Amino acid sequence: MTRRTRSATAAAIGLCLALAAVGCAGGDDGDGSSGGQGTVTLWTNAMEGRGAEFWRDAAKAYHELHPDVTIKIQSVQNEDLDGKLQNALNSNSAPDIFLQRGGGKMQAMVDAGQIKELELTDTDRGNVGEAALEGVSIDGKVYAMPLDTQPEGIYYSKDLFEKAGITAPPTTMDELQDAVAKLKAIKVAPIAVGAKDAWPAAHWYYNFALRECNQEVMQEAAKSLTFDDPCWTAAGDDLADLLDTEPFQKGFLTATSQQGAGSSAGMIANHKAAMELMGNWNPGVIADLTPDKKPLPDLGWFPFPSVSGGKGDPTAIMGGAGGYSLSKNAPKEALGFLQFVVTKEQQEAYAEAFDTIPVNKQAQGVVTEPYNISALEAFNKAAYSMQFLDTVYGQNVGNAMNIAVVNLMAGKGTSADIVKDVKAAAEKG
C-alpha cells in the first residue's frame, strides 16, 4: 500500500487505512491534554457492554487528571447516529466530539465549515502514525483522530465449520458456495445478515464491486460519481448468484445487525449462524451478545473470497478509516481528550474493550486474538484498501446504493437497478 500525501479527493477515496504507529503519549502536558476547564460532550455509537464502559472509564480517568474538565458521554444507536448528527451540525447544536465516518461524509462537513482541523503535536502524530492520519486528512489538514484499524472480512465459527466438514476458510466464491451447502446440511444458517439496517446487506455488494472493479475505476467513481463501467453491474450479478444458493438466515430482510440475540451478530454469538461479513468492530458486538457476555472462543476471520474474472486485485480489502472529529465550536479541552485516548495505556484498553486492532503500534501487543491477527495479516498483504462505499460516495449516493442492494436481495430489483438508482442519486447531487 503506497503512502502519499492526499488531496481532498484522495481523502474521499479513502485508499489508506491505519496500521503503523509509534510513540506513547500525547499533548503538551505529556498526559494527553494542554489543560483547561469546562464540560466536553461526546457522541459514540457504543451502546452497551465493554465499549460503552471504555468511554466511561476514559472520561473518568481524564477527569482525575484534569478535575476542571468533565467529559459527558452520550451513546447513540449506530443506525440513528448519522441523521441525528447531521441535524445537530445543521442547527449548531452538535456535540464537541463525535464519531466520524470519514470519506465523502467528512468532506461534506469540511466544505460546510462544521468541523475543526486538529492541531496535533509531534507526539500525537507518533501515537497515531502518518498512515492513519492520511485517511482522515484533506489537503494536508487532519479532521479526525483515528483510534483503530477496520479491515472488513467474514467472521465465522470454527466449531460450526468443523462440524460441517469445512477444513479451511473459503478463498474463492465457489468454495464459499460449497461451504454454504455443507452448513445447510447440518441445519445451520450459513450466513447471517441484518438487512433491516440496509448497510450490512449492502456490504456484500461493496465487496463484490471491490473484486469486479479495478482500483482506477473505483477511484474515478469516487471523483466523478460515474458508474458506467460494467463491473458495477457485474457486482450485482455476483450477489444475485450468491442469493440463488439461499445462504442467509430465514427472515434476514427484517433482521437487525447488532441488537439482541436475533440480530445477525447475535446469531453468530449463539451459534445459530456460521458466518457474517462485517468490519472489525464485530467481535466486540458478538461478545456482548454471547450467553456469558464473553468473547466467542471459536471466532475466526477470513478475507472476502476472490471472484472469477474480476478485475480488482484479489488481495484488496474493504474497510473504514474514520475516527473522532471536533465540531466547529468545540473547546480546546475536547482536543485534549482525543490526545489522551491515543496514548498507549488508553489504546490498550480500547483494543480490549472493542476486540479491535489499536492504531497506536505500542499498544498492538494486546492483539492476540486469532481473528484480529488474521485480519492484520490480510491487511498488511492487501494491494490497496477502500473505504466503505456509502462513506466514499457521500450520504445521498450511499443511501441510494444501500437501498437498491436491499431491493435486489428482496427480489424487488436487479443489478441494473442498483446502477440506475445510484446514477439518479448522483445526478441530484
Side-chain angles (χ1 to χ4, degrees):
M1 186 170 54
T2 303
R3 294 179 60 183
R4 57 188 173 82
T5 303
R6 292 147 61 114
S7 65
T9 299
I13 296 170
L15 296 176
C16 291
L17 297 181
L19 284 180
V22 294
C24 60
D28 295 341
D29 292 344
D31 55 15
S33 173
S34 56
Q37 60 183 356
T39 298
V40 173
T41 55
L42 182 150
W43 284 8
T44 176
N45 64 347
M47 293 299 296
E48 57 182 87
R50 295 176 301 156
E53 185 178 352
F54 163 80
W55 286 112
R56 291 192 295 268
D57 289 347
K60 180 180 178 181
Y62 192 76
H63 181 68
E64 289 175 353
L65 290 171
H66 308 282
D68 292 335
V69 180
T70 298
I71 309 297
K72 184 178 180 181
I73 307 295
Q74 180 175 344
S75 294
V76 181
Q77 176 62 45
N78 184 68
E79 282 65 42
D80 297 334
L81 180 60
D82 288 0
K84 184 173 182 178
L85 177 61
Q86 194 59 59
N87 289 337
L89 288 168
N90 292 341
S91 62
N92 290 319
S93 59
D96 299 314
I97 305 172
F98 58 86
L99 180 67
Q100 175 60 256
R101 308 291 193 185
K105 294 181 179 180
M106 186 175 77
Q107 179 73 61
M109 294 176 191
V110 172
D111 292 344
Q114 294 172 328
I115 58 177
K116 279 186 173 183
E117 175 189 358
L118 304 190
E119 300 288 348
L120 303 183
T121 67
D122 289 343
T123 303
D124 300 328
R125 289 181 172 273
N127 283 338
V128 178
E130 292 301 323
L133 294 174
E134 285 179 1
V136 289
S137 296
I138 296 174
D139 291 335
K141 298 179 180 180
V142 179
Y143 288 98
M145 187 75 87
L147 298 184
D148 63 354
T149 67
Q150 297 179 350
E152 181 167 69
I154 297 178
Y155 289 89
Y156 73 102
S157 164
K158 294 180 179 179
D159 289 351
L160 291 179
F161 266 41
E162 182 178 0
K163 185 177 179 181
I166 303 168
T167 57
T171 60
T172 67
M173 287 311 302
D174 286 343
E175 291 178 0
L176 181 64
Q177 292 187 15
D178 182 61
V180 166
K182 289 180 177 179
L183 289 160
K184 281 186 175 182
I186 63 168
K187 309 299 182 183
V188 168
I191 304 172
V193 63
K196 181 180 180 180
D197 295 330
W199 62 266
H203 279 217
W204 281 92
Y205 178 77
Y206 300 174
N207 280 273
F208 277 122
L210 188 69
R211 294 287 178 260
E212 289 286 2
C213 303
N214 64 38
Q215 185 180 11
E216 291 73 23
V217 167
M218 300 197 85
Q219 287 178 322
E220 179 57 33
K223 294 176 184 177
S224 61
L225 293 181
T226 55
F227 301 88
D228 295 326
D229 194 284
C231 67
W232 297 105
T233 302
D237 291 340
D238 290 337
L239 179 55
D241 288 343
L242 179 63
L243 283 167
D244 287 342
T245 69
E246 298 183 349
F248 302 121
Q249 80 274 27
K250 292 182 179 179
F252 72 89
L253 290 170
T254 57
T256 61
S257 58
Q258 301 176 351
Q259 298 84 49
S263 67
S264 54
M267 293 187 71
I268 301 296
N270 293 279
H271 286 138
K272 301 298 183 182
M275 293 179 276
E276 184 184 24
L277 175 66
M278 195 60 65
N280 79 325
W281 57 84
N282 207 34
V285 176
I286 291 171
D288 289 334
L289 295 173
T290 58
D292 59 4
K293 305 296 182 183
K294 294 181 180 180
L296 193 67
D298 68 312
L299 190 64
W301 183 97
F302 61 91
F304 196 84
S306 64
V307 173
S308 178
K311 296 180 180 179
D313 192 295
T315 68
I317 202 163
M318 186 68 62
Y324 279 78
S325 287
L326 301 183
S327 58
K328 65 179 182 180
N329 296 320
K332 64 180 181 179
E333 291 80 12
L335 176 60
F337 183 64
L338 288 183
Q339 292 169 321
F340 175 68
V341 294
V342 294
T343 57
K344 179 177 181 291
E345 181 178 350
Q346 289 299 312
Q347 279 276 282
E348 289 173 341
Y350 184 89
E352 291 176 349
F354 288 93
D355 285 317
T356 190
I357 304 168
V359 70
N360 189 323
K361 190 174 182 180
Q362 289 201 359
Q364 288 183 354
V366 301
V367 178
T368 58
E369 300 85 355
Y371 46 81
N372 276 337
I373 292 174
S374 295
L376 188 57
E377 289 175 349
F379 187 80
N380 281 333
K381 294 176 183 177
Y384 52 91
S385 60
M386 190 76 185
Q387 280 192 29
F388 303 126
L389 299 190
D390 56 350
T391 296
V392 175
Y393 302 139
Q395 187 166 347
N396 291 338
V397 173
N399 286 346
M401 180 178 288
N402 291 354
I403 293 169
V405 172
V406 173
N407 286 340
L408 181 149
M409 296 176 78
K412 298 179 180 178
T414 66
S415 54
D417 289 332
I418 295 175
V419 176
K420 177 178 64 70
D421 292 351
V422 167
K423 285 184 175 180
E427 290 174 359
K428 291 178 181 178

